[in-house]
Amino acid sequence: MSAKDNTVIAGPRRSNLPPPPPALPDPALFVPDDAQCARYCEEFAMLKNVVEHSYMVADVATFLAERAVDKGMDVDVPTVRASALLHDLAKTYCIRHGGYHNQLGGAWVAELTGNPIIASGVTHHVYWPFALDLEPYFTPLAVLYADKRVNHNRLVSVEDRFKDLIVRYGIPLKLQDSINETKRQALELEQLLCDTLEVDLNACDFNSGRLV
């Protein structure tokens, strides 16, 4: 892992936490569509591979949101998709200049959209510091899980995603506890989503909902 891009290390301290983000979207809030999100990506000079990753994460998150609606949950699909498309908005900047891309990206998205629900998915896509509760916080949890299923532009298991993080960034043993805590949370969230949405998420291609 480069000294600049330290955002893969999660498991943040739980003291002095901010309050959780707003639970449900306000219908009056602005939700950017795919075209507007693409303009934001261009405006912030996102690397091509980061954009490709973001679109694949958005496909996974959109599948989860549509499945949730089918199951009667109060989920706004465009809000979830926009948050996923923008989750790495600050990634390129932080690779080049340092900083935490989830925190900076969340601030940027909040300013761009004025939508705290979309921004919460960006801010919390690395690690969720609150109780896992899909009913009020579906958007950030869907974005977090979707990000853990996409390695670059390839669909992978949660286990394989974290193996790659450790190998690719050369994370030393003393920091791997944080990675393992993030993986534990992702696997717990995966089981919660499987149970709630009544689908095996490890047997789905996320584009058409077909089992693979």
Side-chain angles (χ1 to χ4, degrees):
M1 180 179 70
S2 86
K4 292 182 178 181
D5 184 23
N6 52 7
T7 56
V8 298
I9 303 299
R13 294 187 299 272
R14 291 178 177 268
S15 60
N16 301 318
L17 284 176
L24 297 173
D26 181 337
L29 290 174
F30 170 62
V31 178
D33 60 13
D34 280 30
Q36 182 61 62
C37 288
R39 287 191 285 272
Y40 290 148
C41 293
E42 184 176 356
E43 179 182 346
F44 286 86
M46 288 173 65
L47 291 167
K48 181 181 177 181
N49 65 304
V50 178
V51 174
E52 291 174 351
H53 167 80
S54 298
Y55 272 88
M56 193 159 187
V57 169
D59 286 343
V60 175
T62 300
F63 170 87
L64 297 173
E66 290 175 344
R67 182 79 178 183
V69 170
D70 289 344
K71 293 297 175 183
M73 296 181 69
D74 187 8
V75 172
D76 185 68
V77 176
T79 295
V80 174
R81 182 168 180 83
S83 187
L85 284 170
L86 298 175
H87 81 281
D88 270 352
L89 187 67
K91 182 76 170 180
T92 301
Y93 178 91
C94 289
I95 289 173
R96 292 171 174 164
H97 304 290
Y100 290 89
H101 78 286
N102 58 319
Q103 295 177 11
L104 180 60
W108 284 354
V109 170
E111 183 174 357
L112 288 168
T113 68
N115 190 320
I117 308 297
I118 294 174
S120 75
V122 178
T123 300
H124 296 290
H125 79 266
V126 175
Y127 185 85
W128 180 251
F130 311 104
L132 298 180
D133 189 344
L134 291 175
E135 196 67 42
Y137 302 121
F138 191 90
T139 293
L141 292 175
V143 175
L144 184 155
Y145 176 73
D147 181 59
K148 302 304 184 286
R149 290 298 309 273
V150 179
N151 189 31
H152 304 297
N153 63 350
R154 189 166 58 88
L155 186 65
V156 296
S157 68
V158 171
E159 291 281 357
D160 286 346
R161 177 79 157 98
F162 281 91
K163 286 178 185 176
D164 177 76
L165 282 176
I166 291 172
V167 172
R168 177 158 46 100
Y169 288 101
I171 296 170
L173 285 173
K174 65 181 180 180
L175 296 178
Q176 288 184 24
D177 285 349
S178 294
I179 288 289
N180 288 331
E181 165 59 19
T182 309
K183 181 177 77 171
R184 181 207 61 75
Q185 182 186 73
L187 290 171
E188 182 182 348
L189 176 57
E190 178 173 73
Q191 189 60 57
L192 178 61
L193 285 164
C194 287
D195 293 343
T196 303
L197 304 182
E198 298 179 356
V199 63
D200 182 355
L201 294 174
N202 285 297
C204 190
D205 66 8
F206 293 108
N207 288 315
S208 64
R210 295 190 305 267
L211 296 182
V212 296

